[in-house]
Amino acid sequence: MANTKYIQQVVGKRKSAIARLYLKEGSGQVKVNARKLDEYYLRPTSRKLVLQPFELTETMGKYDAVVNVTGGGLSGQAGAIRHAVSRALANLSDEYRATLKKAGLITRDARKKERKLPGQPGARRKFQFSKR
């Protein structure tokens, strides 16, 4: 990452995943944890989720993204990357911001896993009731 001029450095979050994104002008390459997007995400739905902000703002192939993502699973990480890309593009232009805001991509998805309650098997699950 040294000797590279990044135009944006943004953090995106989803569930317990945190993505640090470095955006620069380039040919449209996306690297996640030092691997190409196609190598990191084998599911096409996850790849589409990550690239969605670029497609909406019609900036496919204009910017390179280097992402370091930690925590959570692959789905949560894909959501965190999407959030980071959306925030980075929104900072670049008001026009992009309006498009992404309308699609609901700038707002962080606040849903997290509910905590387990003490004396119970899960967050919502209760032990079976016995009348006798």
Side-chain angles (χ1 to χ4, degrees):
M1 276 196 265
N3 299 332
T4 311
K5 198 83 164 171
Y6 293 105
I7 55 175
Q8 286 292 322
Q9 294 181 12
V10 187
V11 173
K13 295 180 181 182
R14 168 82 173 99
K15 291 188 174 180
S16 60
I18 299 171
R20 289 188 317 271
L21 175 112
Y22 304 93
L23 195 72
K24 67 175 183 173
E25 290 187 22
S27 59
Q29 288 185 331
V30 178
K31 285 196 166 191
V32 180
N33 290 348
R35 298 190 340 220
K36 290 183 181 175
L37 184 68
D38 298 338
E39 293 173 11
Y40 195 81
Y41 287 113
L42 302 177
R43 288 185 186 162
T45 51
S46 297
R47 280 183 284 210
K48 187 174 170 105
L49 194 73
V50 169
L51 297 175
Q52 188 180 9
F54 290 119
E55 290 171 3
L56 283 172
T57 56
E58 298 171 3
T59 54
M60 280 295 253
K62 286 186 180 179
Y63 300 104
D64 288 346
V66 178
V67 186
N68 296 325
V69 64
T70 58
L74 287 175
S75 178
Q77 288 183 354
I81 295 170
R82 180 178 81 161
H83 184 230
V85 170
S86 300
R87 289 178 70 179
L89 291 174
N91 290 342
L92 289 177
S93 165
D94 290 336
E95 186 180 316
Y96 295 159
R97 182 174 180 78
T99 307
L100 294 167
K101 185 83 170 162
K102 190 174 182 183
L105 299 184
I106 293 176
T107 308
R108 185 215 194 279
D109 192 346
R111 295 177 296 173
K112 283 190 172 182
K113 185 176 178 182
E114 224 174 300
R115 77 177 189 91
K116 182 189 167 298
L117 297 172
Q120 298 294 345
R124 302 280 175 112
R125 176 102 171 97
K126 304 288 183 251
F127 290 119
Q128 184 173 359
F129 176 73
S130 172
K131 195 168 190 176
R132 287 172 197 78

